[in-house]
mmCIF file of all heavy atoms in Angstrom:
data_model
loop_
_atom_site.group_PDB
_atom_site.id
_atom_site.type_symbol
_atom_site.label_atom_id
_atom_site.label_comp_id
_atom_site.label_asym_id
_atom_site.label_seq_id
_atom_site.Cartn_x
_atom_site.Cartn_y
_atom_site.Cartn_z
ATOM 1 N N LEU A 112 304.786 90.451 191.135
ATOM 2 C CA LEU A 112 304.234 89.722 189.880
ATOM 3 C C LEU A 112 303.067 90.403 189.221
ATOM 4 O O LEU A 112 302.816 90.210 188.055
ATOM 5 C CB LEU A 112 304.007 88.313 190.217
ATOM 6 C CG LEU A 112 305.099 87.382 190.785
ATOM 7 C CD1 LEU A 112 304.785 86.035 191.125
ATOM 8 C CD2 LEU A 112 306.195 87.407 189.748
ATOM 9 N N ALA A 113 302.348 91.204 189.944
ATOM 10 C CA ALA A 113 301.101 91.869 189.407
ATOM 11 C C ALA A 113 301.462 92.506 188.018
ATOM 12 O O ALA A 113 300.603 92.362 187.134
ATOM 13 C CB ALA A 113 300.623 92.815 190.371
ATOM 14 N N PRO A 114 302.452 93.256 187.788
ATOM 15 C CA PRO A 114 302.731 93.837 186.461
ATOM 16 C C PRO A 114 302.864 92.860 185.334
ATOM 17 O O PRO A 114 302.833 93.255 184.197
ATOM 18 C CB PRO A 114 304.027 94.646 186.718
ATOM 19 C CG PRO A 114 304.148 94.849 188.175
ATOM 20 C CD PRO A 114 303.599 93.648 188.786
ATOM 21 N N HIS A 115 303.010 91.591 185.690
ATOM 22 C CA HIS A 115 303.354 90.646 184.596
ATOM 23 C C HIS A 115 302.222 89.570 184.477
ATOM 24 O O HIS A 115 302.289 88.745 183.543
ATOM 25 C CB HIS A 115 304.669 89.763 184.956
ATOM 26 C CG HIS A 115 305.779 90.827 185.302
ATOM 27 N ND1 HIS A 115 306.497 91.436 184.322
ATOM 28 C CD2 HIS A 115 306.337 91.073 186.559
ATOM 29 C CE1 HIS A 115 307.470 92.084 184.987
ATOM 30 N NE2 HIS A 115 307.344 91.958 186.229
ATOM 31 N N MET A 116 301.180 89.707 185.159
ATOM 32 C CA MET A 116 300.037 88.755 185.213
ATOM 33 C C MET A 116 299.421 88.692 183.769
ATOM 34 O O MET A 116 299.084 87.625 183.366
ATOM 35 C CB MET A 116 299.032 89.100 186.216
ATOM 36 C CG MET A 116 299.486 89.154 187.629
ATOM 37 S SD MET A 116 300.079 87.576 188.201
ATOM 38 C CE MET A 116 299.019 87.337 189.400
ATOM 39 N N GLN A 117 299.139 89.790 183.150
ATOM 40 C CA GLN A 117 298.432 89.720 181.916
ATOM 41 C C GLN A 117 299.428 89.079 180.821
ATOM 42 O O GLN A 117 298.745 88.334 180.006
ATOM 43 C CB GLN A 117 298.118 91.164 181.490
ATOM 44 C CG GLN A 117 297.147 91.229 180.191
ATOM 45 C CD GLN A 117 295.842 90.376 180.228
ATOM 46 O OE1 GLN A 117 295.360 90.255 181.316
ATOM 47 N NE2 GLN A 117 295.534 89.815 179.174
ATOM 48 N N ALA A 118 300.646 89.323 180.897
ATOM 49 C CA ALA A 118 301.563 88.790 179.917
ATOM 50 C C ALA A 118 301.662 87.191 180.108
ATOM 51 O O ALA A 118 301.665 86.461 179.154
ATOM 52 C CB ALA A 118 302.938 89.347 180.057
ATOM 53 N N MET A 119 301.676 86.817 181.428
ATOM 54 C CA MET A 119 301.765 85.297 181.698
ATOM 55 C C MET A 119 300.433 84.726 181.184
ATOM 56 O O MET A 119 300.440 83.651 180.514
ATOM 57 C CB MET A 119 301.849 85.074 183.104
ATOM 58 C CG MET A 119 303.236 85.407 183.769
ATOM 59 S SD MET A 119 303.394 84.881 185.442
ATOM 60 C CE MET A 119 302.853 86.461 186.208
ATOM 61 N N ARG A 120 299.138 85.281 181.459
ATOM 62 C CA ARG A 120 297.965 84.821 181.018
ATOM 63 C C ARG A 120 297.931 84.642 179.492
ATOM 64 O O ARG A 120 297.619 83.646 178.905
ATOM 65 C CB ARG A 120 296.826 85.606 181.580
ATOM 66 C CG ARG A 120 295.486 84.944 181.065
ATOM 67 C CD ARG A 120 294.356 85.783 181.575
ATOM 68 N NE ARG A 120 294.636 87.094 182.202
ATOM 69 C CZ ARG A 120 294.266 87.468 183.350
ATOM 70 N NH1 ARG A 120 293.523 86.896 184.149
ATOM 71 N NH2 ARG A 120 294.772 88.704 183.704
ATOM 72 N N ALA A 121 298.350 85.628 178.773
ATOM 73 C CA ALA A 121 298.361 85.753 177.307
ATOM 74 C C ALA A 121 299.341 84.598 176.803
ATOM 75 O O ALA A 121 299.003 84.033 175.809
ATOM 76 C CB ALA A 121 298.769 87.210 176.811
ATOM 77 N N SER A 122 300.464 84.476 177.419
ATOM 78 C CA SER A 122 301.454 83.518 177.002
ATOM 79 C C SER A 122 300.776 82.044 177.131
ATOM 80 O O SER A 122 301.049 81.294 176.225
ATOM 81 C CB SER A 122 302.694 83.558 177.823
ATOM 82 O OG SER A 122 303.511 82.560 177.601
ATOM 83 N N LEU A 123 300.300 81.761 178.159
ATOM 84 C CA LEU A 123 299.601 80.461 178.472
ATOM 85 C C LEU A 123 298.446 80.261 177.466
ATOM 86 O O LEU A 123 298.254 79.151 176.993
ATOM 87 C CB LEU A 123 299.222 80.312 179.845
ATOM 88 C CG LEU A 123 300.303 80.134 180.891
ATOM 89 C CD1 LEU A 123 299.905 80.240 182.417
ATOM 90 C CD2 LEU A 123 301.113 78.870 180.685
ATOM 91 N N GLU A 124 297.780 81.291 177.232
ATOM 92 C CA GLU A 124 296.655 81.110 176.226
ATOM 93 C C GLU A 124 297.153 80.915 174.815
ATOM 94 O O GLU A 124 296.596 80.125 174.179
ATOM 95 C CB GLU A 124 295.691 82.316 176.323
ATOM 96 C CG GLU A 124 294.852 82.456 177.686
ATOM 97 C CD GLU A 124 293.977 83.570 177.881
ATOM 98 O OE1 GLU A 124 294.072 84.510 177.076
ATOM 99 O OE2 GLU A 124 293.265 83.498 178.934
ATOM 100 N N ARG A 125 298.199 81.578 174.432
ATOM 101 C CA ARG A 125 298.784 81.324 173.138
ATOM 102 C C ARG A 125 299.317 79.914 173.053
ATOM 103 O O ARG A 125 299.340 79.298 171.993
ATOM 104 C CB ARG A 125 299.946 82.281 172.834
ATOM 105 C CG ARG A 125 299.503 83.642 172.391
ATOM 106 C CD ARG A 125 300.744 84.490 171.921
ATOM 107 N NE ARG A 125 301.762 84.590 172.787
ATOM 108 C CZ ARG A 125 301.854 85.436 173.856
ATOM 109 N NH1 ARG A 125 300.885 86.388 173.985
ATOM 110 N NH2 ARG A 125 302.948 85.546 174.653
ATOM 111 N N ALA A 126 299.766 79.299 174.201
ATOM 112 C CA ALA A 126 300.345 78.042 174.186
ATOM 113 C C ALA A 126 299.195 76.933 174.104
ATOM 114 O O ALA A 126 299.461 75.720 173.995
ATOM 115 C CB ALA A 126 301.187 77.783 175.477
#
Side-chain angles (χ1 to χ4, degrees):
L112 299 177
H115 309 284
M116 302 292 247
Q117 186 58 34
M119 287 187 273
R120 182 179 13 231
S122 172
L123 290 169
E124 288 174 354
R125 279 191 308 275

